[in-house]
Amino acid sequence: MPDLMKQSPYGTFLEHCKKGELAYQVSTDDGKAVFYPRVVAPGSGSTHLEWRVSKGLGTVYSTTVVYYKDEKPLNVALIDLDEGFRMMSRVEDIDSLEVKIGMRVKVRIHPGDEKQPPYPVFTPAGRGA
Amino acid sequence: MTLKRGSVAVVGAAESDLGQVAPHTSPVDLMAQATLRALEDCGLKLSDIDGVFSAATQVRTAPMTLAEYLRIKPRYFDGTAIGGSSFMSHVAHAQAAIEHGLCEVALVAYGSTQRSVSRAAASPREFNPYETPYRPFMPSSAYAMAAARHMHQYGTKREQLAEVAVAARKWALLNPKAWEKEPLTIEQVLKSRMVSYPFTVRDCCLVVDGGGAIILTSAARAKSLRKKPAYVLGVGEALSHANISSMPDLTVSAASESGPKAFGMAKLKPADVDMLSLYDAFTITPILFLEDLGFCRKGEGGRFVANGAIAPGGKLPVNTSGGGLSYCHPGMYGLLVMIEAVRQVRGECDKRQVKNCEVALAHGNGGVLSSQCTVIFGGPSTV
């Protein structure tokens, strides 16, 4: 079990983001992917959690387009990663309304800004991904 | 230990003032106003209340704050806060408390001034480092993704979502207390301002001030009071997740657990239900709940609501008040969902009254399809 006096699950996730990586956990008891990162494996209560770096390939599970006033329509999506976990994100480099359920996507770490630390976004993965 | 079918009844039910209340009105002012009206409704006094149940986004310690305001010292209290379905949960917990003699007269109350103070001020979103950076417009975007997935998997159309809003509006025009007063067409819903695709503003619930209160007591005591009791025949509560990214299947809500629990306790089936009061935060929610509660097969909800099926004169009366979409939605709307069901069982609904309504199902939804709680009410013939 991680020492919460030294590092938090999100802290570790963020360290990976800073290296350009999407990290997740695997419960080594049953081999199941865990996301969001935790100190305890959900369901089993096991503390046998290992960090892994995702290959970053996934499929759009669902998608929406948010219309904020005076802004370009913003995509928000749920992505199912090939390793077996789901996360919220957005798909970039494509018109928000063209993001479709079932589309293959690949992770990219957005650099963030002064207020927002780096975070994973996705782009269309193209054919064969 | 299981709860007993019909052991308690709602004996008093009332809304506070609804819509846009005077500046500086507090959420607890609205709770107190509704409480007094609900007491008047049943003929009990403030001093009879010995159980207090409440939750409100603007009042973190709702049962405590309400007890202070009313200056009552409840023997039992519960502030379960799981979003808009909290009050169905309160009814289940009040039933348990009354059955065990922990209290005898339970008050369930709610109030919100979200229209007056803004939704951002009334219900600030919790920060989540795995969701907040993507700026979903919550809760709308979560429900929009559920709708998008339902459309993808089952061929549900935006026009079918719009049917839910149009049906709600037709009922609202029969309810003098409804916020919306003008007719609405499917085309108007589709062409309104887009909020979070596939939802336009007309697929989304109202943002108004308001509150309500209900009074419950034992079936034995209920018989001596002013109004026809609405017996609690069945209750069911279920949690499935808190954040939308942790919802296992966006097309299946935990109403598929709370519904069977409530029906099991009530010893009833969907065909026995005369009217439904379903939490319509967005047009997709009644569609999901009709499926998950067993009124149609999974995936058939969109087709089920088409052609005015849940509107006045349709095959199944749903949200006869006009719902959260057209009557009133003061943030956590579950208490008002139950008040309409109680009134239908009592036969108090005038132009929108469902004929011979003996069984009414009220279903609450909280968070982002996160908590699901079902209460089935019955008139005197059912116990």
Side-chain angles (χ1 to χ4, degrees):
Chain A
M1 168 125 56
D3 182 352
L4 286 171
M5 301 300 285
K6 290 181 181 153
Q7 180 64 298
S8 64
Y10 177 66
T12 303
F13 176 81
L14 192 54
E15 290 303 314
H16 282 281
C17 284
K18 286 174 181 167
K19 291 191 282 184
E21 296 169 348
L22 167 60
Y24 67 105
Q25 293 168 309
V26 167
S27 170
T28 53
D29 294 337
D30 56 12
K32 282 187 182 158
V34 173
F35 198 88
Y36 47 93
R38 294 155 158 94
V39 296
V40 173
S44 69
S46 168
T47 54
H48 301 146
L49 287 165
E50 264 180 31
W51 285 92
R52 302 271 170 87
V53 174
S54 168
K55 287 197 173 71
L57 283 170
T59 305
V60 175
Y61 173 73
S62 197
T63 180
T64 184
V65 180
V66 187
Y67 292 78
Y68 286 112
K69 201 166 175 266
D70 303 325
E71 285 187 36
K72 233 171 53 177
L74 174 72
N75 175 252
V76 176
L78 295 175
I79 310 295
D80 283 342
L81 275 296
D82 290 358
E83 289 90 351
F85 65 95
R86 181 177 298 163
M87 64 183 294
M88 184 177 284
S89 191
R90 75 167 167 265
V91 183
E92 299 188 334
D93 295 354
I94 179 175
D95 186 284
S96 291
L97 276 169
E98 291 306 312
V99 179
K100 302 290 184 202
I101 293 173
M103 181 180 273
R104 293 289 287 161
V105 291
K106 186 166 184 17
V107 79
R108 172 168 78 193
I109 304 300
H110 189 287
D113 55 38
E114 290 142 29
K115 286 183 190 160
Q116 171 63 50
Y119 60 100
V121 297
F122 288 79
T123 61
R127 284 172 187 278
Chain B
M1 183 63 70
T2 52
L3 298 173
K4 293 187 198 78
R5 180 191 197 276
S7 66
V8 303
V10 171
V11 292
E15 299 117 322
S16 68
D17 289 346
L18 307 175
Q20 177 129 25
V21 296
H24 314 301
T25 301
S26 83
V28 192
D29 288 331
L30 293 170
M31 289 184 196
Q33 182 192 47
T35 300
L36 226 60
R37 288 175 180 174
L39 286 169
E40 170 67 23
D41 190 47
C42 60
L44 289 169
K45 300 185 302 295
L46 189 61
S47 57
D48 291 317
I49 296 169
D50 61 357
V52 171
F53 299 73
S54 186
T57 60
Q58 293 165 272
V59 192
R60 277 184 294 177
T61 56
M64 189 161 84
T65 308
L66 180 58
E68 175 197 89
Y69 190 115
L70 298 173
R71 198 171 291 168
I72 48 181
K73 288 187 79 71
R75 285 200 289 148
Y76 195 82
F77 43 85
D78 178 349
T80 298
I82 49 171
S85 64
S86 299
F87 316 98
M88 283 74 172
S89 213
H90 294 161
V91 165
H93 301 179
Q95 179 170 23
I98 292 167
E99 278 191 16
H100 287 270
L102 302 173
C103 64
E104 195 185 351
V105 176
L107 164 68
V108 184
Y110 174 69
S112 165
T113 58
Q114 66 162 358
R115 187 172 188 88
S116 296
V117 304
S118 89
R119 205 171 145 68
S123 188
R125 303 302 304 179
E126 282 177 28
F127 176 77
N128 175 342
Y130 305 101
E131 290 197 354
T132 308
Y134 304 104
R135 301 177 60 223
F137 181 62
M138 288 299 194
S140 308
S141 293
Y143 290 88
M145 287 194 285
R149 188 72 204 177
H150 203 275
M151 291 163 75
H152 172 80
Q153 252 173 266
Y154 299 113
T156 306
K157 305 284 182 220
R158 282 188 60 204
E159 289 77 4
Q160 293 166 341
L161 296 174
E163 285 262 7
V164 175
V166 169
R169 185 62 60 90
K170 285 181 178 163
W171 284 115
L173 298 181
L174 303 176
N175 181 0
K177 287 183 180 162
W179 173 261
E180 296 287 359
K181 305 290 185 198
E182 299 296 324
L184 181 70
T185 66
I186 288 176
E187 195 175 42
Q188 284 172 325
V189 175
L190 298 179
K191 290 192 170 163
S192 291
R193 178 172 60 83
M194 191 59 77
V195 172
S196 192
Y197 190 88
F199 292 158
T200 69
V201 67
R202 294 288 157 234
D203 287 289
C204 305
C205 55
L206 303 168
V207 177
V208 296
D209 303 331
I214 58 176
I215 313 275
L216 294 112
T217 191
S218 65
R221 188 158 178 188
K223 288 192 185 79
S224 67
L225 297 173
R226 196 168 281 167
K227 293 279 183 73
K228 192 164 99 173
Y231 294 94
V232 176
L233 302 180
V235 295
E237 304 170 79
L239 303 177
S240 71
H241 60 279
N243 300 290
I244 196 66
S245 46
S246 294
M247 183 171 181
D249 179 342
L250 264 67
T251 66
V252 183
S253 79
S256 58
E257 299 165 42
S258 68
K261 282 183 198 169
F263 278 117
M265 177 176 156
K267 300 186 178 70
L268 293 172
K269 53 189 187 306
D272 300 318
V273 175
D274 299 310
M275 75 78 68
L276 290 148
S277 203
L278 304 175
Y279 198 126
D280 54 342
F282 300 91
T283 49
I284 187 64
T285 58
I287 289 175
L288 290 175
F289 301 149
L290 285 165
E291 296 171 356
D292 294 336
L293 295 169
F295 289 84
C296 63
R297 291 217 319 257
K298 180 49 68 184
E300 290 296 317
R303 287 174 282 278
F304 184 90
V305 302
N307 303 312
I310 60 170
K315 63 185 172 190
L316 183 66
V318 174
N319 295 342
T320 52
S321 65
L325 291 164
S326 278
Y327 146 67
C328 181
H329 191 281
M332 299 203 297
Y333 164 63
L335 192 52
L336 302 186
V337 171
M338 286 191 289
I339 289 174
E340 180 70 3
V342 165
R343 287 185 175 149
Q344 284 287 356
V345 162
R346 287 176 171 180
E348 292 179 338
C349 290
D350 196 22
K351 282 183 190 163
R352 63 184 196 280
Q353 179 63 44
V354 173
K355 275 193 191 128
N356 306 317
C357 184
E358 279 297 309
V359 178
L361 181 150
H363 181 78
N365 161 75
V368 286
L369 290 164
S370 314
S371 63
Q372 303 296 333
C373 302
T374 310
V375 179
I376 301 173
F377 294 105
S381 76
T382 64
V383 290

